[in-house]
Amino acid sequence: MEVVQLERLARRQVAEIAIRRAAIANRELAAVGSLDTPGISFPPLVLTVATELSDVAPKDVNDVRTGKMEPWNLIRLHPSGTRAAAEYTSNPLVFFSAFLNYMWIYLRFFGDEHPGVVHAQNRFMQFIMQRAQLYRWPVCLDYAMRRLNFIKASSIHDAVAWNDHPVEWVNAIFIPENHMKPDTGSTQKRPRADTNASRRRKR
């Protein structure tokens, strides 16, 4: 997966979220209340953000807000409503799309209070994107999940935790054996024709 493709996806995702946000601003707030889960009352901003993201449940938005979101449950934040864990491990775009929504939710609740964390989350995503250019995606996903579990156990508001990539972790996971195998199909040289034999046949 090319970094350029992932960056284009990120920009498109942010643009789509901005459009949704503008649309919800023109709606009646009473309509947002329809997203409430029976028996559970969510803060108004939780319902608003859930509407902005359209396919994300208020409970999952609230789990991000409270720091209870389990890393493997990030897939619930995928914009198309993807839920199959198998898609997580086979397609990097599923993870990055879901994580972009995670970042948006965090920004809406804590962007003013913790701007450094917002930047650190972006750098975290860039780090995983860069590694995904060189190493097999399941390996990169495993590293991302380990770090996200550590951050959850520490504090999602800790910019240092988001920025930190311990050398021992990196060296243990990103090893030569986990490099992506080069695609030699398009670069393999074609055998050269025996031009001398061709000339001999023409004589």
Side-chain angles (χ1 to χ4, degrees):
M1 186 63 60
E2 296 291 337
V3 171
V4 173
Q5 288 180 287
L6 295 172
E7 290 178 343
R8 286 175 181 169
L9 171 73
R11 287 195 295 269
R12 186 169 64 249
Q13 192 78 12
V14 169
E16 290 174 354
I17 289 172
I19 292 172
R20 295 185 199 127
R21 185 179 181 185
I24 190 61
N26 295 323
R27 298 177 188 173
E28 294 292 333
L29 290 177
V32 178
S34 64
L35 291 174
D36 256 322
T37 301
I40 302 176
S41 180
F42 296 108
L45 185 55
V46 168
L47 302 176
T48 299
V49 174
T51 303
E52 291 171 355
L53 298 176
S54 69
D55 289 316
V56 178
K59 179 183 183 304
D60 294 322
V61 173
N62 199 54
D63 281 350
V64 174
R65 180 184 71 88
T66 59
K68 296 178 180 178
M69 172 64 71
E70 295 292 340
W72 279 103
N73 287 341
L74 279 174
I75 198 169
R76 296 177 181 173
L77 306 180
H78 190 272
S80 68
T82 301
R83 296 293 185 269
E87 295 183 60
Y88 231 174
T89 56
S90 62
N91 187 355
L93 291 180
V94 172
F95 170 80
F96 290 120
S97 297
F99 190 73
L100 280 167
N101 275 351
Y102 177 96
M103 291 173 60
W104 174 254
I105 295 169
Y106 187 91
L107 175 67
R108 293 286 275 117
F109 285 100
F110 307 110
D112 291 337
E113 184 180 356
H114 299 289
V117 173
V118 176
H119 293 299
Q121 289 172 349
N122 184 62
R123 285 192 291 270
F124 173 85
M125 185 175 69
Q126 290 294 328
F127 179 88
I128 303 301
M129 284 182 174
Q130 292 165 3
R131 294 287 160 165
Q133 300 304 298
L134 302 173
Y135 297 89
R136 294 184 295 108
W137 172 241
V139 172
C140 300
L141 180 62
D142 177 59
Y143 175 85
M145 290 299 162
R146 292 189 189 193
R147 289 304 304 161
L148 289 171
N149 272 310
F150 177 85
I151 292 166
K152 178 178 179 292
S154 174
S155 170
I156 63 170
H157 306 302
D158 185 356
V160 173
W162 283 101
N163 279 319
D164 189 26
H165 297 284
V167 174
E168 60 272 19
W169 287 41
V170 173
N171 290 344
I173 294 177
F174 298 112
I175 57 178
E177 289 82 353
N178 289 330
H179 269 288
M180 284 195 302
K181 294 180 180 179
D183 182 7
T184 58
S186 59
T187 59
Q188 190 173 12
K189 291 184 178 180
R190 298 174 59 184
R192 296 180 60 182
D194 187 349
T195 55
N196 290 331
S198 178
R199 292 195 191 98
R200 287 195 295 269
R201 285 195 295 270
K202 289 180 180 180
R203 290 178 180 174

